Amino acid sequence: MKFIFIIALLLPLELLSQSASYSLFNGRDLSGWHIDVPEMDTNALARNPFIIRHGLLVSLGEPNGHLITDSIYQNFRLQVEYRFAGKPGNCGVLVFASTPRSLYKMFPKSIEVQMMHENAGDFWCIVEDITVPDMEKRRGPKEKWGITEGKNRRIHNLTNGSEKPLGEWNTMIVECLKNSIRVWVNGELVNDGFNCTAEKGQIALQAEGAEVEFRKVELTPITQLSAAVNDK
């Protein structure tokens, strides 16, 4: 049975059972991922900010960059359990990621689902775009919207207070189906977008200044979105 399970993890997403969930990291190393940290291009002393520690996937926060899946995914539910290991700060999970270093010579083309402390669930448009209800209220004046440097790329989440106290584990669920993205934090619906300009791509985790531990990064193929309601 163990042999069959290992083979299943190596199959492309589209060949997996629609009910099969599997971890994107193995608890031992970064197999299935690659690192894109610009500082490592020119600084031989720069550390790799992504490590496995005591079975956890850890973003050390600096130098800034991304840990990106080798594979491309579409139509999935991503469940991420994370916590800030020390001081609160910034991090994010990127979906539909593609062209690397498309924004500020750092961020891959994608939609970011924000994990920044007290802002979990915001969307950030990174050379891709998405629509939500009440766009002007949540994104600002329409004439300032954009997907590149200097534009209003942030779309505020629907709720405040969904995060657990610092040091406790948060559960973020990101469902991506065709060009829709729906996000829950600790069972509370925090964002619901549609008409995204992408439908598939890689998944990425950020190093963006704060140390973050991940104990689960689990993927499940889906054929429909979960209901847009809060569990609380």
Side-chain angles (χ1 to χ4, degrees), residues 113-223:
V113 182
Q114 180 68 271
M115 290 177 169
M116 184 179 184
H117 180 56
E118 298 184 341
N119 294 280
D122 288 358
F123 286 143
W124 280 86
C125 299
I126 304 175
V127 202
E128 297 285 8
D129 213 347
I130 195 166
T131 303
V132 300
D134 300 321
M135 278 281 281
E136 291 200 57
K137 178 180 178 181
R138 296 170 58 196
R139 193 171 182 172
K142 188 172 183 179
E143 62 272 17
K144 296 184 179 180
W145 297 353
I147 57 175
T148 55
E149 293 90 340
K151 301 295 185 178
N152 281 8
R153 298 181 296 104
R154 180 187 184 185
I155 301 174
H156 288 260
N157 63 42
L158 292 166
T159 65
N160 292 315
S162 1
E163 298 170 55
K164 298 285 185 67
L166 286 173
E168 295 186 20
W169 290 98
N170 294 286
T171 298
M172 175 179 280
I173 294 176
V174 183
E175 290 190 352
C176 299
L177 185 73
K178 297 182 179 178
N179 61 357
S180 294
I181 303 174
R182 192 168 285 172
V183 183
W184 293 261
V185 174
N186 298 320
E188 188 169 16
L189 182 71
V190 294
N191 227 325
D192 191 4
F194 54 95
N195 289 341
C196 184
T197 51
E199 294 188 0
K200 62 183 178 180
Q202 295 155 298
I203 295 168
L205 302 175
Q206 290 184 323
E208 201 171 6
E211 183 170 318
V212 182
E213 295 177 336
F214 298 88
R215 69 179 181 185
K216 178 180 283 188
V217 185
E218 185 176 272
L219 201 75
T220 306
I222 60 173
T223 57

Side-chain angles (χ1 to χ4, degrees), residues 42 61 79 102 123 164 171 232:
T42 56
Q79 181 171 334
S102 294
F123 286 143
K164 298 285 185 67
T171 298
K232 292 184 176 180

